[in-house]
Amino acid sequence: MFRKGDTVTVIDGGTDNPGTEGCTGTVVDDGSLSGGLIAVKGIDGRFAEAIKGYRGYTADQIKHA
């Protein structure tokens, strides 16, 4: 469904990623190696992502941009 390099928009941040609805980012991991969570970069700034890592979403929380 989602592949590395796809541009996606968050439609539901859930309890793990509140306040990220409407943000756009790029898929860096399709979830096949991380138990189904799709890693998305570009939601936070570069510095924050370097410290905390990328945000993880399930397939129903994001859509293609």
Side-chain angles (χ1 to χ4, degrees):
M1 191 171 188
F2 295 101
R3 295 188 306 220
K4 185 176 180 180
D6 286 352
T7 301
V8 296
T9 301
V10 179
I11 56 174
D12 178 16
T15 58
D16 293 333
N17 299 302
T20 60
E21 295 83 2
C23 293
T24 302
T26 305
V27 173
V28 292
D29 178 36
D30 63 7
S32 61
L33 300 176
S34 61
L37 282 181
I38 300 163
V40 179
K41 73 174 184 176
I43 302 297
D44 297 312
R46 288 184 191 178
F47 183 74
E49 286 181 344
I51 301 295
K52 298 188 297 185
Y54 300 129
R55 300 268 185 159
Y57 298 94
T58 58
D60 61 339
Q61 291 180 307
I62 56 177
K63 66 176 183 175
H64 286 94

